Each structure stands twice: as C-alpha cells, then as structure tokens.
Amino acid sequence: MTSIFETSIEFLKGVGPQRATLLQKELKIFTFGDLLQHYPFRYEDRTRFYTVREVNEEMPYVQLKGRITRFETVGSAYKKRLVGHFADDTGSLELVWFQGIPWVMQKIKTGIPYIVFGKPNRYGKSYSIAHPEVEPESEKTEKGGLQPVYPLTEKLRARHVDSKFISRLLQEVLRQGHKNIRETLPDQLLRRFGFPSKKEAMISIHFPENPAVLSAAQHRLKFEELFYLQLRLLKMKLVRYEKFRGQEFKDTAILTQFYNHHLPFPLTEAQKKVIREIYSDMKSGRQMNRLLQGDVGSGKTIVAFICMLLVIGGQAQAALMAPTEILAQQHFNNLRKYADAMRLPIALLTGSTRKAIRKVLHEKLQSGELKILIGTHALLEEEVKFHRLGLAIIDEQHRFGVAQRSKLWQKNAETYPHVLVMTATPIPRTLAMTLYGDLDISVIDEMPKGRKPIKTTHQFDSHRLQVNAFLRSQIDAGRQVYIVYPLIEESEKLDLKHLMDGYESISRAFPDLAISILHGQMKSEAKEFEMTRFLKAETKIMVATTVIEVGVDVPNASVMVIESAERFGLSQLHQLRGRVGRGAEQSYCILLTSYKLSAEARLRMNTMVRTNNGFEIAETDLELRGPGDLMGTQQSGLLDLLIADLGKDGKILQDAREVAGTLLQQDPELSKPENQPIKAHLSALRKTAVNWAKIS
Ligand code: ADP
Ligand code: MG
C-alpha cells in the first residue's frame, strides 16, 4: 500500500523538477511525507504589536505599526543605502535598505499606515531595522498568529525558497493529504497525556493557531519521536535478553586470590557496587551488555581487570579494545602490572604490531594460552580468533559506534561474549539513555579517597610570565607539567604551527629542561618514545595536542596548562584536566585564553573553575552544544532527531522510555490487537528512517 506521503516532492503543486532537486539536495526532502516532517525550528509571533518606545536590541524581531515620514539616500556607490524614517506615536526609528532600492522607492509611500516587521539593531540611542518586511496596514494579508520559520540553506534562499514558500507547499500537502494522516500512538496514551491526534499535531506544528495549541503539538511529536526510539532500543535489549544465552561465570577463586593478596588499594564502595552488578550479570546465564560510566580518575581500570579475572577463572579469555594506539598501550601498561602479579599471559595488538609477533600471538590466542588481549581496531580483524572469548571490554571515548560494538560480539561461534562498554568521561543522562539505550548502566559515582580536588584557574594570555613562574616552582618541587594546544582537523596545519611556536617559546623560557612534544602526525614509535621519556620523568614538560586527551596516566604530572582554552568544549576540557590529579600531590589546571571571550566561552571557563564534577560538566556541555557536537559525528546519526532535543527534552525522554518499557513488559512481541498500530509504525520507521540503520 503506498500512501500519498510517499509521492515524490517533484509532483507537488508549485515545486517542479528543478526545485525538487534542490529540496532533495539541500534538505533531504524527497517525498510529501519528508516535507511534512520538515518542522519549523522557531516561530515568530505576529499577533503582537509593539511601539517604537518598547523596542530594544534583545528582541529577535519586532512588529510595529506606523508611518514613514520621509526617505533619504545616504552614502554613494556600493555603500549607498536607503533610509526610511519611521514613526508612531511614541517615537521614531530608521528602516534601512542596502539592495533593491528602486523597488522600495516605487512600492513604499510616505504618510500611509504600514506594518513593519524585522530585527531591531541599536545605533547609539536610536534603532534601525535592516531590510524589514513592510506591508500597508490596509492590505494586511497574513492571518496573523505564529509564523513558522523553517531550517533553510543559502542556496535555497538564493532561489527564493523561503519560509513562506515552504509554508505554501505545506498548505498544499495538507490540503491533499490531511485525511490520510494516520494515528501513530494508541488512544490510551493520547488520553493519558492529553495529546492532540497526529493529524491535529501535524497541522498545528506548521500552522499553529495559538501558543497553547503549538506547544501541545510539539510535546506530542517529541514524545512520539522519543517513544519509538526508546521502543526500538528496549526491544533490542529484550531480544538479547531472551534469545542470547550467556556464558556462566561463577568461579571466583582467581578473583579472590587477587583480592586478598594483590589488590593495590582498597576499592571504593562505588567500585564494589559496580563489580557486584557485573558479577550478577555474568553468572545469570544471560549475555551481559552493560555500560560502565565513571568520571575521569574514578578507577574504571581496576574494575575492568577484576571482571577479566572472573572469566579467566571460568577458562575463558578477555579482550579490551581502545580507540587509539596510545590509549591501548596505556591500558596494556596498567593492566600488565596486575596481570603479571597474577601470572596471567597478556598481550597488546595494534596496527603496528609486527607480523612475526602477530603470528605467535594469533596462535596463543587460538589455543587459549593467552588470557588477556588489549588492542585497537586491530582486534576486529578476521584473523584474530579466540579460543573462547568470555568478556569484551570496549573503551569508547565517544569514538566507536554501535555497529563496531556488535562486531566484537561475533568473535565467538556459539555464545556471544559478555560486553562491557566503558566511557572516558561521563555522558549526560539523556544521551546515555539514547546512545546506550539498549544497555544496562552502571555508574561509579565516587572518587577514591584522599584525592585532592584539582585547583583550576582561568588566566588571560597576558599573564603568561606569571604562569611560567608557577610552572617553574612546580618543576623545582619535582613535578611535571602538560601544556596542551588545540588541534581541530579543519585547520590542522595552522594548529601544528601554533604547537611548534609554543614548543619553541617554552624551550626558550625553560632552556635548562628537556621538553617532550607529542602530536598526531608523529610516527607511533616517536610518540611512544616521547611518552616513555615523560613517564620516566626524563622530561619535565610535555607540549602536546589533544592526542594526550585519552587515558594517559602519569601520576607525577601535577599541572595541566590548556592553551586557547576557549577553543575547547567543556567535556574535552574536563577530560584534559583529568590527566592530572592522579598522584598524591595537589594538582592544578590553568586555562589560558585571550582577553576577548564570547559569553558562552566565559561560561565554559567559569564552569571549569567552579566544579570538578564530570556529570555536572557534561550536562552543561549538552545544553551549550547540543548532542551532535558533543558526541562527535560518528554517533550523530542516532542523535539526528527531527524535533526532540536531548539537551532540553529530558523529561519527555524519561516519560517515553518508561511508557515504552511498560509496554514491552506487558506485550514483549507487540502482539496484542491494541498494539498493532505501534508495531506497524515501528516497522515502517525501520524501513524509512536513516537513523535506524545505524543502530541495527
Ligand atoms: P579512570 O576511571 O579514569 O580510567 P583509572 O582506572 O585510570 O581511572 O584510575 C585512576 C587512578 O586512580 C589510577 O592511578 C588508579 O590506580 C587509582 N585508583 C583506582 N581506584 C582506586 C582506589 N579505590 N583507591 C585508590 N586509588 C585508586
Ligand atoms: Mg581509564
């Protein structure tokens, strides 16, 4: 059955082949249905009129009634502009045109009442509106009310495809199709939440009669979007629960031996709690899929190792996959200490592992002699075969997608390994529920005792000398220092130059010291060499790009200087700061910025100075940047929501997840008659939406 909403957009009245191509290219609108789901991103309130005296520069737009008293042309040649002096009873302001001046002169008359709409700008004490919409009051065509503003591109605007145009197209789609809009939520939910019907919601989202109706429509559509997303995720989880047998690991002998004789420090209560959660999964007979969250430095590594011991005790193997070579190496170094104490064979496998070593490693892995394998993506290669993989740990750092996660599951022929996903920094709750919505979640919400909170300050570049003096005093006291430069891909060359310049000026400021440098374009042996020198304290200062962001652990390093800190997102700043504060000494983080800062950058700096709590920082970051930017592009597919906003709609998400959970509890297969519409819509979504492809 094809519906009118699958009709190609080309066939909509007013579109035609050329605009259709443009709509497809620029907005991914292919069908009537796609257009219907192209939601406005804001609305302009045309019900409200202001007086000139009320105008201020905070207003995103303003609507006024008054007369143009006179026109004048100012400037010449390309600087020429037309100024219309506009007044009502309360005052006057300027309307300004830079283009299309003859047209304005011809159309707009002085002395008659006009309605003027646009964004006010302030010049000294007076205001102006550039390129306003101007309409004679007598001819006011708009019904008034809330005018939708649609996401558009420059290319579209150049072809006169503006919000009004989109609005007209939608009017046509709705005229032809409104009878065919099917309800996608069950009655009982509509009643429970007081939602409008799908049809009402679709009409109101594009043509809202008043703010109340609009907000009801938005609420319903957001709920619906999140509900189906959660339903899908929870269904994946349920299917795994029911269908995938897990290997049972109950033998705690090796674990107990480690616990009693080799544990380097007492575990925190939070670490113990998380280990219990994982243990109860692993002995349950079901396959574990769990997310382990904890702030930087909360001690996820030892938890990972203890879980490895549980599977090794059950004659199976464990693997840990990290996103970068440096991080894999670091994990290997850390875990090897524990493994050696227990005399358990452990190995590292990365892209740069030599062939001969690889061959031996493959054999030992397949025979089961090798118990623990640490590595990068190289672990996913075909030739890497385990004797019996019991536990796959994935250190995600926001970098692996769900698809890669599932590849590791397939390393065993019969039963999937248990899977533990670790994240480097805390993820806001709403994001965790979405990106990892198909997993169970464990949180380490407590730091090891005796940690001194890192002291963070924000300094302007002009204080560099004082900062250097401070670094000197720390180095004299035996500590080591990181100095980090931003590196973002679009300007890699320029950033590398900044790094090199920085390295030179640091070398001049500390001529007596050996200084390390580390960046992404170095060969891995060179990186390894520099890291090792720094780790052995042969060098006192490490000048680096964000390659050191991930997991690097040098307990003696007590100062983190972040250059151009305004160029980093909050989560990244927090992650960088987490490189210090790992030893017993008081640690410091110094955020260096230029004097001129945007309000948002200032907020980021202040947040960093105020708190060390990674969960709090992550929430703020989400509010500031939105989910896509926060998580990087890889996972943004899942976060490409049409209307819901994970930064703002946490409450709706929570409701949607609860409702989806209850529904699946009562009807796991969605086989009850009243749930048929849900089942049908779910599978329709699966076919059409790009989002879903990425998580299945
Ligand atoms: P992260 O969660 O960031 O991976 P790590 O596992 O690297 O943290 O632990 C950070 C540091 O804290 C390490 O040096 C580790 O040895 C230490 N550590 C972990 N747990 C404890 C604990 N319970 N008590 C004391 N120190 C701990
Ligand atoms: Mg770690």
Side-chain angles (χ1 to χ4, degrees), residues 213-272:
V213 166
L214 172 62
S215 113
Q218 285 171 321
H219 191 178
R220 183 222 138 102
L221 294 173
K222 285 173 176 199
F223 179 91
E224 173 176 341
E225 182 167 45
L226 295 171
F227 170 73
Y228 279 101
L229 180 62
Q230 289 302 323
L231 197 60
R232 170 83 162 148
L233 290 165
L234 290 172
K235 206 149 187 324
M236 280 167 64
K237 183 169 161 180
L238 196 71
V239 166
R240 276 204 306 256
Y241 247 60
E242 309 260 291
K243 303 231 167 99
F244 299 165
R245 208 165 48 80
Q247 307 170 53
E248 287 178 40
F249 295 109
K250 294 179 175 160
D251 188 336
T252 55
I254 295 186
L255 193 156
T256 309
Q257 193 200 340
F258 177 75
Y259 208 93
N260 292 341
H261 303 288
H262 303 284
L263 197 65
F265 34 69
L267 297 180
T268 62
E269 284 311 311
Q271 284 170 320
K272 287 185 204 162

Side-chain angles (χ1 to χ4, degrees), residues 164-393:
K164 278 209 175 121
F165 180 82
I166 299 279
S167 228
R168 275 202 298 279
L169 296 185
L170 276 159
Q171 216 156 21
E172 183 58 24
V173 166
L174 285 168
R175 191 186 63 76
Q176 293 183 33
H178 73 273
K179 287 204 192 81
N180 303 316
I181 297 177
R182 270 184 309 152
E183 184 50 64
T184 41
L185 289 176
D187 264 359
Q188 172 245 335
L189 273 184
L190 297 185
R191 262 179 281 130
R192 174 170 157 198
F193 289 97
F195 287 147
S197 71
K198 175 81 172 227
K199 183 171 135 187
E200 285 169 316
M202 278 310 211
I203 294 173
S204 300
I205 201 85
H206 294 294
F207 302 99
E209 270 181 18
N210 59 54
V213 166
L214 172 62
S215 113
Q218 285 171 321
H219 191 178
R220 183 222 138 102
L221 294 173
K222 285 173 176 199
F223 179 91
E224 173 176 341
E225 182 167 45
L226 295 171
F227 170 73
Y228 279 101
L229 180 62
Q230 289 302 323
L231 197 60
R232 170 83 162 148
L233 290 165
L234 290 172
K235 206 149 187 324
M236 280 167 64
K237 183 169 161 180
L238 196 71
V239 166
R240 276 204 306 256
Y241 247 60
E242 309 260 291
K243 303 231 167 99
F244 299 165
R245 208 165 48 80
Q247 307 170 53
E248 287 178 40
F249 295 109
K250 294 179 175 160
D251 188 336
T252 55
I254 295 186
L255 193 156
T256 309
Q257 193 200 340
F258 177 75
Y259 208 93
N260 292 341
H261 303 288
H262 303 284
L263 197 65
F265 34 69
L267 297 180
T268 62
E269 284 311 311
Q271 284 170 320
K272 287 185 204 162
K273 175 195 72 186
V274 162
I275 290 167
R276 276 197 299 273
E277 286 167 356
I278 294 169
Y279 177 51
S280 98
D281 279 354
M282 298 224 277
K283 67 176 183 188
S284 71
R286 282 196 305 254
Q287 186 230 2
M288 172 175 82
N289 276 284
R290 193 169 273 281
L291 174 70
L292 174 59
Q293 281 213 72
D295 208 343
V296 184
S298 62
K300 294 182 286 288
T301 313
I302 191 99
V303 170
F305 183 73
I306 288 173
C307 298
M308 289 177 168
L309 291 180
L310 196 58
V311 306
I312 294 166
Q315 308 309 314
Q317 296 158 299
L320 188 157
M321 182 165 79
T324 66
E325 205 155 322
I326 291 190
L327 188 57
Q329 179 76 51
Q330 193 84 46
H331 273 305
F332 178 67
N333 296 345
N334 287 335
L335 291 168
R336 185 165 51 180
K337 280 180 261 166
Y338 304 140
D340 285 352
M342 295 296 292
R343 298 171 191 231
L344 293 171
I346 180 170
L348 176 69
L349 176 66
T350 69
S352 50
T353 306
R354 298 234 173 71
K355 243 193 175 161
I357 297 178
R358 226 172 241 257
K359 193 160 167 286
V360 180
L361 198 149
H362 285 167
E363 284 166 14
K364 287 187 173 168
L365 198 61
Q366 206 154 7
S367 74
E369 186 185 333
L370 186 60
K371 297 298 179 194
I372 303 174
L373 182 62
I374 314 295
T376 54
H377 288 87
L379 297 195
L380 297 177
E381 283 161 16
E382 196 77 33
E383 317 84 76
V384 181
K385 295 197 179 77
F386 292 83
H387 176 66
R388 184 178 157 214
L389 181 60
L391 172 65
I393 300 179

